[in-house]
Amino acid sequence: MLYICCMKLDEAKIKYIQTWGSLATSWGINKTMAQVHALLLVSTKPLSAEDIMETLQISRGNVNMNVRALIDWGIVNKEFVIGERKEFFSAGKDIWELFKQITKERKKREIEPVIKILDELQLIDDNSEEAQQFKKVLGDLSSVTNTVNGILDKAIKADEHWLLSNFTKVIKK
Amino acid sequence: MLYICCMKLDEAKIKYIQTWGSLATSWGINKTMAQVHALLLVSTKPLSAEDIMETLQISRGNVNMNVRALIDWGIVNKEFVIGERKEFFSAGKDIWELFKQITKERKKREIEPVIKILDELQLIDDNSEEAQQFKKVLGDLSSVTNTVNGILDKAIKADEHWLLSNFTKVIKK
DNA sequence: TTTTATTTTCAATAATTATTGAAAGTTTTA
DNA sequence: TAAAACTTTCAATAATTATTGAAAATAAAA
């Protein structure tokens, strides 16, 4: 059961999947996880674990782990196909939704812990010149992080149209 | 030649350096690179390769590689200390500048190549239903990526005050 | 020039992270 | 209930990435 139908198109899809996988690593994302998502994204129908295994040439365990992680990130869904016993998976095709979901998750997992730690470190019982300077750096780090966090919050809440047209225009001036 | 003077403060600095290092890995940044930068950021004076080696307990080669990379990213500078033959290094203390520099570099290294590849893939010689759908996904990915790229451009050009107050307020409504 | 101080490189190695595959677990069907 | 279909887990292993350290290169001083 392959998702492929035309040659040139197939090549382009494969290239997209490969490219996405290698780009992912520079963002601290597992290569296979990115590839599985890319595959589901360009697939016209939900795929089973076996479909993914065959297409990406990876083991059952690997597929399972990465599909779970993607579901955990909220960017892949289980699908029930009538007449089929096994599970199928699909990725939402709304890219703005995808962007918002990823942003939301990374914010929660990576930015919020940073803010927490920076705030903790601020509480030093020391008022020397050097300590003041250190606290200043921490405070500035907090400030930037909080601002970015706030911007991401707004982006998550924004609907597609607003973010696309309105937002970019406002930004310009 | 150690940069340390007070106990509690010293602990906090160490904790900050360690924490930064481990957080960095989830952003696809080398742990040591992040630690070296953190160390230079909280240091009151420029440090030599040996200072860094001692404090972080890492090899000369490792220090050299990572300091070069940081200089390459534009967030660490060489300093010439009078009466000293060896090189010293320092990190700029302006966190907004740091944020802008990092954003600029990641944009160049990671976002712009994505846009290029997505555009390349668009050029498929196929008009089937499936091809249309694939092109739609690619187009949407381009759209989001370009928008994010644009926002980052504005952020880079924006001065601290504008980004902090004006921007966040605009975003709110 | 030669010596000495310092930086850079890079093959070898260590540490980390990802992947396999088979066994154990679960759910469905008969 | 047992057998079949499928999913999950995880110890072993592979692949990747980071680090060392000593030799080569470079730069400054004598």
Side-chain angles (χ1 to χ4, degrees):
Chain A
M1 189 195 284
L2 279 181
Y3 72 101
I4 289 159
C5 97
C6 321
M7 260 315 281
K8 291 256 182 99
L9 177 59
D10 173 37
E11 275 168 30
K13 283 190 178 183
I14 298 286
K15 182 162 182 203
Y16 165 67
I17 292 164
Q18 301 294 346
T19 309
W20 219 240
S22 51
L23 287 168
T25 56
S26 50
W27 283 91
I29 295 160
N30 178 293
K31 190 187 83 182
T32 307
M33 185 169 153
Q35 288 186 334
V36 171
H37 181 261
L39 173 59
L40 293 174
L41 191 65
V42 299
S43 171
T44 50
K45 54 179 179 300
L47 302 181
S48 69
E50 259 130 35
D51 296 333
I52 301 170
M53 283 168 68
E54 272 180 40
T55 313
L56 301 182
Q57 291 291 306
I58 56 176
S59 74
R60 184 173 296 282
N62 201 5
V63 168
N64 190 272
M65 299 271 265
N66 284 294
V67 165
R68 295 305 124 191
L70 287 165
I71 290 173
D72 205 46
W73 271 69
I75 58 176
V76 158
N77 301 107
K78 250 186 226 187
E79 300 275 349
F80 296 95
V81 173
I82 48 164
E84 286 277 13
R85 196 152 145 186
K86 53 189 163 194
E87 295 176 323
F88 286 77
F89 307 98
S90 71
K93 301 291 187 285
D94 182 337
I95 306 299
W96 274 101
E97 204 47 57
L98 174 66
F99 169 74
K100 287 201 280 182
Q101 196 57 40
I102 290 175
T103 305
K104 195 169 130 195
E105 282 295 319
R106 295 204 78 143
K107 206 176 87 69
K108 190 171 77 196
R109 290 169 202 233
E110 291 153 22
I111 298 187
E112 281 161 18
V114 171
I115 292 171
K116 195 162 156 280
I117 280 156
L118 288 173
D119 287 348
E120 271 175 39
L121 287 170
Q122 279 274 15
L123 309 169
I124 303 166
D125 180 26
D126 188 328
N127 285 302
S128 66
E129 170 85 26
E130 195 187 349
Q132 298 293 336
Q133 203 175 310
F134 178 55
K135 285 182 196 174
K136 168 78 162 61
V137 168
L138 290 180
D140 289 351
L141 285 169
S142 285
S143 165
V144 173
T145 314
N146 276 304
T147 303
V148 170
N149 205 32
I151 291 169
L152 295 180
D153 267 338
K154 302 304 166 195
I156 290 164
K157 278 172 201 145
D159 62 84
E160 176 173 349
H161 176 262
W162 183 75
L163 195 55
L164 245 176
S165 60
N166 203 315
F167 187 77
T168 19
K169 272 172 205 156
V170 166
I171 284 280
K172 255 169 218 156
K173 168 53 211 130
Chain B
M1 188 196 283
L2 281 180
Y3 71 101
I4 290 158
C5 95
C6 320
M7 261 314 281
K8 292 256 184 101
L9 177 59
D10 173 36
E11 276 167 29
K13 283 188 178 182
I14 298 285
K15 181 162 183 204
Y16 164 68
I17 292 164
Q18 301 294 345
T19 309
W20 219 239
S22 49
L23 287 168
T25 56
S26 50
W27 283 91
I29 296 160
N30 178 294
K31 191 187 83 181
T32 307
M33 185 168 153
Q35 288 186 334
V36 171
H37 182 261
L39 172 59
L40 292 173
L41 192 65
V42 299
S43 170
T44 50
K45 53 179 178 300
L47 302 181
S48 69
E50 258 130 36
D51 296 332
I52 299 170
M53 284 169 67
E54 272 180 41
T55 312
L56 302 182
Q57 292 291 304
I58 56 175
S59 73
R60 182 174 297 282
N62 202 4
V63 168
N64 189 272
M65 299 271 265
N66 285 293
V67 165
R68 293 306 126 193
L70 288 165
I71 290 173
D72 205 45
W73 271 71
I75 59 177
V76 158
N77 302 105
K78 251 186 225 186
E79 300 274 350
F80 298 95
V81 172
I82 48 165
E84 287 276 13
R85 194 154 145 187
K86 56 188 159 193
E87 294 177 326
F88 286 77
F89 307 98
S90 71
K93 300 291 186 285
D94 182 336
I95 306 300
W96 275 103
E97 203 47 58
L98 175 65
F99 168 76
K100 287 200 280 181
Q101 195 58 39
I102 290 174
T103 304
K104 195 169 131 195
E105 283 297 317
R106 294 204 80 144
K107 206 175 87 68
K108 190 171 74 194
R109 291 170 202 232
E110 292 153 21
I111 299 186
E112 281 161 17
V114 171
I115 292 171
K116 195 163 157 281
I117 281 155
L118 288 174
D119 288 348
E120 271 174 39
L121 286 171
Q122 280 275 14
L123 309 168
I124 303 166
D125 180 25
D126 188 328
N127 285 303
S128 65
E129 170 85 24
E130 196 188 347
Q132 297 293 335
Q133 203 174 311
F134 177 55
K135 284 182 195 171
K136 168 80 162 64
V137 167
L138 291 181
D140 289 351
L141 284 169
S142 284
S143 165
V144 173
T145 313
N146 276 305
T147 304
V148 170
N149 205 33
I151 291 169
L152 295 180
D153 267 338
K154 303 304 168 194
I156 290 164
K157 278 172 201 144
D159 63 84
E160 176 173 349
H161 176 264
W162 182 75
L163 195 55
L164 248 176
S165 59
N166 202 315
F167 189 75
T168 16
K169 271 172 205 156
V170 167
I171 285 280
K172 253 170 220 155
K173 170 56 209 129

